[in-house]
Amino acid sequence: MACVRRFKAHANHRVGPERLGVLDHAVERAALMVSGRMIKPADLGLRSAGDSPNRIEDMDLEEVERFLIQKALARFEGNAKQAAEALAFKGSALSFLGRQEEAHELLNRSVERARKVGSPRAEALALTCLGFALQRADRTSEAQAVYKEGIEAGERAGDAGILGTLQLNLAGLEKVSGDIA
């Protein structure tokens, strides 16, 4: 996650806050569409270095933006696993903001993305966030099923922190629903 935070801070400084939403969307799309473990400039629809003008003065605004994104990706080595985790956190934030449908859609995509890149940790994290969102939407039976899936992923990942969180959340739901004393 440190890589994603550094990338966003660098991008905010280079691109500016008014264009950061466009960049955020492009990175989110690339995280979902990337076929390998790393996000490459081509995954963002960016040209290779040989395809663009040599001097920044010769570029239009869109080309400058692409150039800066390419530089930031190269510097922070856009890790697809971290991108999947970032999607989960964004989905969780949407849920806290009350934008449940958007949150559920993004969190489901995050789970799919984590599975696609083969990261049990990112999968467990995404399932944790999805379970939270379902629980906040009073969809407790769905949340319980998601927490159980997350526990399996957490065990595969060997991540005690995520595993503990999932187990506590599941136990809390089971207690409220009367499944345990």
Side-chain angles (χ1 to χ4, degrees):
M1 287 310 302
C3 177
V4 173
R5 283 192 300 274
R6 288 193 317 260
F7 172 77
K8 284 190 174 191
H10 180 74
N12 187 35
H13 173 71
R14 293 292 198 151
V15 177
E18 67 281 354
R19 304 285 296 171
L20 198 54
V22 173
L23 174 63
D24 191 37
H25 177 73
V27 171
E28 177 184 320
R29 184 178 180 282
L32 293 171
M33 303 306 273
V34 67
S35 58
R37 298 171 77 90
M38 301 295 283
I39 298 172
K40 297 176 185 76
D43 297 320
L44 291 170
L46 303 174
R47 300 181 203 169
S48 67
D51 293 341
S52 60
N54 292 331
R55 297 175 348 129
I56 202 163
E57 296 85 10
D58 298 331
M59 298 177 194
D60 63 26
L61 183 59
E62 194 171 291
E63 290 172 323
V64 170
E65 183 177 351
R66 283 188 192 121
F67 173 76
L68 294 174
I69 293 170
Q70 285 176 319
K71 298 278 285 181
L73 278 175
R75 181 173 178 200
F76 298 114
E77 301 173 0
N79 185 306
K81 290 179 183 179
Q82 290 177 334
E85 292 179 13
L87 288 176
F89 289 127
K90 184 176 181 180
S92 187
L94 288 171
S95 176
F96 276 112
L97 292 170
R99 295 165 55 183
Q100 298 303 327
E101 290 306 313
E102 290 174 81
H104 295 157
E105 181 182 325
L106 184 58
L107 289 166
N108 280 308
R109 289 187 349 231
S110 177
V111 171
E112 290 171 21
R113 182 71 212 130
R115 288 175 177 158
K116 186 175 178 183
V117 299
S119 174
R121 183 188 186 285
E123 180 183 351
L125 181 66
L127 288 165
T128 300
C129 293
L130 179 57
F132 283 153
L134 291 167
Q135 193 172 344
R136 277 193 289 282
D138 292 324
R139 294 166 59 180
T140 55
S141 62
E142 291 173 77
Q144 286 174 312
V146 166
Y147 286 144
K148 288 175 184 175
E149 274 186 77
I151 288 170
E152 292 174 13
E155 287 171 346
R156 286 193 316 274
D159 191 312
I162 293 175
L163 193 54
T165 299
L166 285 158
Q167 289 170 335
L168 283 171
N169 290 342
L170 179 59
L173 280 180
E174 289 177 346
K175 183 173 183 172
V176 168
S177 64
D179 293 341
I180 60 174

